[in-house]
Amino acid sequence: MKNYKCPKCSYIYKPERGDWMSGVEKGTPFEALPDDWKCPTCGEPKDFFEEVE
């Protein structure tokens, strides 16, 4: 699964970790996050995240 980075604060969403603060379970791919999901660090919308290698 691919990781995605917030361009504003550099938070990296890692599917193997999920986002416990938002109730996202471990193993949830970025594409499966709700459309209204936001960066847990700075609040940037999901649409602005960039794929990272």
Side-chain angles (χ1 to χ4, degrees), residues 6 9-11 19 22 37-46 49:
C6 175
C9 72
S10 298
Y11 167 84
D19 176 16
S22 299
W37 181 85
K38 296 183 184 325
C39 176
T41 302
C42 72
E44 194 75 2
K46 174 184 173 182
F49 274 64

Side-chain angles (χ1 to χ4, degrees), residues 24-42:
V24 177
E25 294 186 24
K26 294 177 182 179
T28 303
F30 185 81
E31 297 80 12
L33 293 173
D35 291 336
D36 62 349
W37 181 85
K38 296 183 184 325
C39 176
T41 302
C42 72

